Amino acid sequence: MKMLKTFTAWASVTLAIFVLQTMTSNAQTPKLADDEIASVAVVANKGDIGFAQIAQKKSKNAEILKFAHTMASDHQAVIDQAVALVTKLKVTPKDNAVSKKMVADNAKTQKMLNSKSAKDFDKAYIDNEVAYHKAVINAVETILIPQAQNAELKGLLQQVVPTLKAHLQHAEMVQTEISK
Amino acid sequence: MMSIRTFGGNALVLVFPLIILAGCSTTPTPEKYKPKTFTIEIYQMKFQPALLTVHKGDTVEWVNKDIVSHDVTQVPNNLWSSSNLLPGKSWKMAVEETDDYYCSIHVVMVGKLIVE
Ligand SMILES: [Cu+2]
């Protein structure tokens, strides 16, 4: 039982790290055009809203619920900004290898979270939030910002980084809090 | 010794009214403090400046220049709060005492007001 728990925690973290590695390893750093970057940005934000919605259904912990509420509203605010910008720029977000991989990985994470017992859910959720935000920050800083061509798109991505970093710090705080 | 002291005393008696008169003409009663207004920008998930020193009665206005909502809430007792501040919105308050505050939406965002 202990081994299984350790394994699932390990698996959720590894999943996010895998995204990070596939997205940042030198051999296969993907080259993305602005419409593809927009798609990755929207998918990454939608992913975290999906996780938050599961938390809002499954958790009873006040700290987790508060954190999930912040995630849902902040990531929706970022999506709204991104949609407003691409509409203005007349760009249509375009699926690509990175966004497709993220969609698939996020679906697996959702499945994992949904399968958790009430007792194990909070830890699984917050561990994944820490790992997911680390992976997304890395992707935004090393792929999306450097490759963005349009100055406004680059600017929006740069504005999102402090938000993601505050989320990561917040997640780490909750992680420490619930492990007590 | 005695004569010098007496002289000194007389001199003071003469000089004192002059000082008082001079004082009256240049500075009437001490000026009443005019409260100031300070602005704290909420930008890139920080209160800027995070530490602000004011006088009692000064007004502080927080302006949300971020892309997400924030709030300004006293800690640890929730004595005052802006409630939800959408991007572009602002909130102001007359400061009564030294207080710590945070954003209750993003608990890692903290600030402090010092009343001197
Ligand atoms: Cu905030």
Side-chain angles (χ1 to χ4, degrees):
Chain A
M1 200 50 201
K2 180 95 199 296
M3 280 243 332
L4 182 66
K5 244 190 246 170
T6 314
F7 174 74
T8 44
W10 172 84
S12 60
V13 172
T14 313
L15 188 65
I17 291 168
F18 181 66
V19 176
L20 182 151
Q21 283 172 343
T22 28
M23 290 171 82
T24 57
S25 69
N26 279 335
Q28 37 184 314
T29 297
K31 291 277 169 285
L32 300 174
D34 282 1
D35 53 357
E36 294 171 321
I37 289 173
S39 169
V40 172
V42 170
V43 166
N45 283 288
K46 275 190 179 162
D48 206 50
I49 294 173
F51 306 149
Q53 285 167 342
I54 299 173
Q56 286 172 326
K57 265 186 254 156
K58 294 193 71 155
S59 182
K60 300 263 187 290
N61 181 293
E63 293 296 308
I64 294 279
L65 290 170
K66 193 168 143 183
F67 178 81
H69 183 262
T70 298
M71 291 309 105
S73 67
D74 281 7
H75 287 287
Q76 188 56 52
V78 175
I79 290 175
D80 293 347
Q81 294 269 337
V83 168
L85 179 60
V86 296
T87 306
K88 181 184 145 194
L89 299 174
K90 296 189 169 64
V91 166
T92 307
K94 191 179 160 205
D95 284 356
N96 55 85
V98 177
S99 67
K100 281 179 187 163
K101 169 120 185 61
M102 273 189 143
V103 169
D105 287 345
N106 290 348
K108 277 182 217 161
T109 304
Q110 290 203 12
K111 209 173 158 197
M112 179 275 290
L113 291 173
N114 275 317
S115 74
K116 291 286 168 192
S117 67
K119 187 166 84 53
D120 296 335
F121 177 82
D122 292 346
K123 181 172 163 33
Y125 170 70
I126 207 67
D127 286 353
N128 180 67
E129 283 302 294
V130 169
Y132 190 77
H133 278 85
K134 280 182 186 168
V136 173
I137 289 165
N138 193 283
V140 173
E141 286 186 326
T142 64
I143 302 172
L144 306 192
I145 291 173
Q147 294 191 20
Q149 293 298 308
N150 179 278
E152 283 180 85
L153 178 61
K154 200 187 273 278
L156 176 59
L157 292 164
Q158 283 164 337
Q159 260 191 299
V160 172
V161 172
T163 309
L164 295 172
K165 287 185 173 170
H167 290 174
L168 174 59
Q169 263 185 286
H170 190 170
E172 286 170 338
M173 240 172 90
V174 177
Q175 191 179 43
T176 308
E177 202 59 40
I178 68 162
S179 71
K180 276 179 193 162
Chain B
M1 273 310 271
M2 184 71 184
S3 64
I4 291 171
R5 235 190 247 167
T6 312
F7 173 76
N10 286 339
L12 274 179
V13 169
L14 277 171
V15 171
F16 249 114
L18 286 176
I19 292 170
I20 292 161
L21 278 173
C24 281
S25 59
T26 54
T27 45
T29 48
E31 285 258 348
K32 211 181 158 202
Y33 177 72
K34 264 197 185 164
K36 293 192 187 87
T37 297
F38 295 88
T39 302
I40 296 176
E41 287 191 357
I42 311 175
Y43 185 56
Q44 298 193 324
M45 310 302 279
K46 286 193 179 87
F47 296 109
Q48 304 191 25
L51 178 66
L52 181 67
T53 302
V54 300
H55 285 99
K56 188 177 161 81
D58 283 347
T59 294
V60 175
E61 181 171 34
W62 287 264
V63 185
N64 182 5
K65 298 206 163 180
D66 254 336
I67 54 172
V68 296
S69 292
H70 294 291
D71 67 34
V72 186
T73 302
Q74 191 267 354
V75 272
N77 301 317
N78 252 311
L79 294 178
W80 43 264
S81 177
S82 63
S83 72
N84 201 42
L85 282 179
L86 290 167
K89 296 288 176 197
S90 62
W91 179 73
K92 58 186 167 185
M93 176 187 85
V95 182
E96 291 304 314
E97 56 192 7
T98 295
D99 259 325
D100 290 306
Y101 65 89
Y102 79 144
C103 167
S104 76
I105 305 167
H106 309 101
V107 296
V108 297
M109 297 173 59
V110 294
K112 189 182 183 74
L113 298 173
I114 296 173
V115 173
E116 63 169 21

